[in-house]
Amino acid sequence: IAGITQAPTSQILAAGRRMTLRCTQDMRHNAMYWYRQDLGLGLRLIHYSNTAGTTGKGEVPDGYSVSRANTDDFPLTLASAVPSQTSVYFCASSGLAGGDEQFFGPGTRLTVL
Amino acid sequence: AQSVSQHNHHVILSEAASLELGCNYSYGGTVNLFWYVQYPGQHLQLLLKYFSGDPLVKGIKGFEAEFIKSKFSFNLRKPSVQWSDTAEYFCAVKNQAGTALIFGKGTTLSVSS
């Protein structure tokens, strides 16, 4: 059982380029989340999805979009990357929406130049 | 807006010393509270959680936390730390909408052997 997988592990991207970070879970969890982790700022929620077919905005959604076509996958897209999006991105899932325990993926380290 | 405050940015201890990391949250209603740990280069893992019942919660690896409603606090404790406890620790609370967790900015714990 893998839990949550994320791809790529790391990426260096030129500003203005489009990038999709992939996240897949095999726990059949209903809810999924994307966070970014920045030094001194902790984890901040970008987008979430309580169930397949629905998504919502978190604390820092600008410049990012998500989709939830099925239970397992929750890709995060940067339509036109900017240097301020340099961060470590974590995908998470939980059995129940919102307050249930969340399980985290290994993260994607993204550098935008 | 809801928030979580972690008072200590960086804590440095010697092995066998006792640990207490502070966490305060802003929401006054029913709360679900969590402590997560992130070991160097790894993803977040759940240490313990509080939903209701006994306000003293025991987690993995000898950690415990006490929920004090009157103080809006959920401090993390360990009687005797080990070098392997070196990590970043995050306090989190379910948001009022029930859609996600709000994380504190984290406390880095460095334990010297």
Side-chain angles (χ1 to χ4, degrees), chain A residues 77-96:
Chain A
T77 298
L78 289 67
S80 179
V82 295
S84 62
Q85 292 178 310
T86 294
S87 186
V88 180
Y89 291 86
F90 287 100
C91 180
S93 71
S94 65
L96 299 173

Side-chain angles (χ1 to χ4, degrees), chain A residues 33 35 37-45 48 50 59 90 97-107, chain B residues 9 32 34 36 38 41-46 49 51 88 90 94-95 98-106:
Chain A
Y33 314 85
Y35 295 90
Q37 183 180 24
D38 302 287
L39 192 64
L41 298 177
L43 277 83
R44 293 180 293 169
L45 182 67
Y48 66 92
N50 287 336
E59 181 185 357
F90 287 100
D100 199 20
E101 173 186 351
Q102 293 184 13
F103 296 83
F104 284 80
Chain B
H9 178 63
N32 290 2
F34 306 80
Y36 281 84
Q38 185 179 29
Q42 296 188 26
H43 60 282
L44 277 76
Q45 304 169 44
L46 183 70
K49 60 184 177 183
F51 285 2
E88 190 155 17
F90 293 94
K94 181 181 73 171
N95 65 4
T99 54
L101 299 184
I102 299 171
F103 284 84
K105 295 182 179 181

Side-chain angles (χ1 to χ4, degrees), chain A:
Chain A
I1 297 177
I4 297 179
T5 58
Q6 292 184 235
T9 302
S10 65
Q11 181 75 44
I12 299 174
L13 189 67
R17 298 296 294 270
R18 181 183 179 90
M19 176 73 190
T20 295
L21 308 185
R22 299 184 297 278
C23 174
T24 299
Q25 53 106 355
D26 63 3
M27 297 175 283
R28 307 303 295 171
H29 283 170
N30 286 322
M32 297 186 75
Y33 314 85
W34 274 105
Y35 295 90
R36 58 178 290 173
Q37 183 180 24
D38 302 287
L39 192 64
L41 298 177
L43 277 83
R44 293 180 293 169
L45 182 67
I46 305 171
H47 285 286
Y48 66 92
S49 169
N50 287 336
T51 188
T54 68
T55 63
K57 294 182 179 180
E59 181 185 357
V60 289
D62 294 343
Y64 306 95
S65 63
V66 292
S67 61
R68 187 88 184 277
N70 57 61
T71 297
D72 298 343
D73 301 301
F74 191 43
L76 176 73
T77 298
L78 289 67
S80 179
V82 295
S84 62
Q85 292 178 310
T86 294
S87 186
V88 180
Y89 291 86
F90 287 100
C91 180
S93 71
S94 65
L96 299 173
D100 199 20
E101 173 186 351
Q102 293 184 13
F103 296 83
F104 284 80
T108 293
R109 182 175 295 277
L110 181 67
T111 302
V112 182
L113 302 176

Side-chain angles (χ1 to χ4, degrees), chain B residues 4-34:
Chain B
V4 175
S5 297
Q6 293 184 238
H7 315 301
N8 315 100
H9 178 63
H10 193 181
V11 173
I12 302 172
L13 296 173
S14 299
E15 274 195 322
S18 64
L19 170 72
E20 181 161 3
L21 301 182
C23 172
N24 286 90
Y25 58 92
S26 61
Y27 175 49
T30 302
V31 288
N32 290 2
L33 295 157
F34 306 80

Side-chain angles (χ1 to χ4, degrees), chain B residues 42-107:
Chain B
Q42 296 188 26
H43 60 282
L44 277 76
Q45 304 169 44
L46 183 70
L47 270 180
L48 48 80
K49 60 184 177 183
Y50 172 80
F51 285 2
S52 64
D54 189 342
L56 185 61
V57 181
K58 295 193 182 299
I60 61 171
K61 304 186 180 186
F63 286 91
E64 64 179 31
E66 185 175 12
F67 169 59
I68 303 179
K69 187 174 182 178
S70 61
K71 295 185 178 180
F72 298 89
S73 71
F74 190 57
N75 292 354
L76 181 71
R77 300 194 293 246
K78 186 171 185 179
S80 176
V81 295
Q82 301 172 311
W83 177 82
S84 57
D85 293 324
T86 294
E88 190 155 17
Y89 293 81
F90 293 94
C91 181
V93 63
K94 181 181 73 171
N95 65 4
Q96 286 181 253
T99 54
L101 299 184
I102 299 171
F103 284 84
K105 295 182 179 181
T107 297

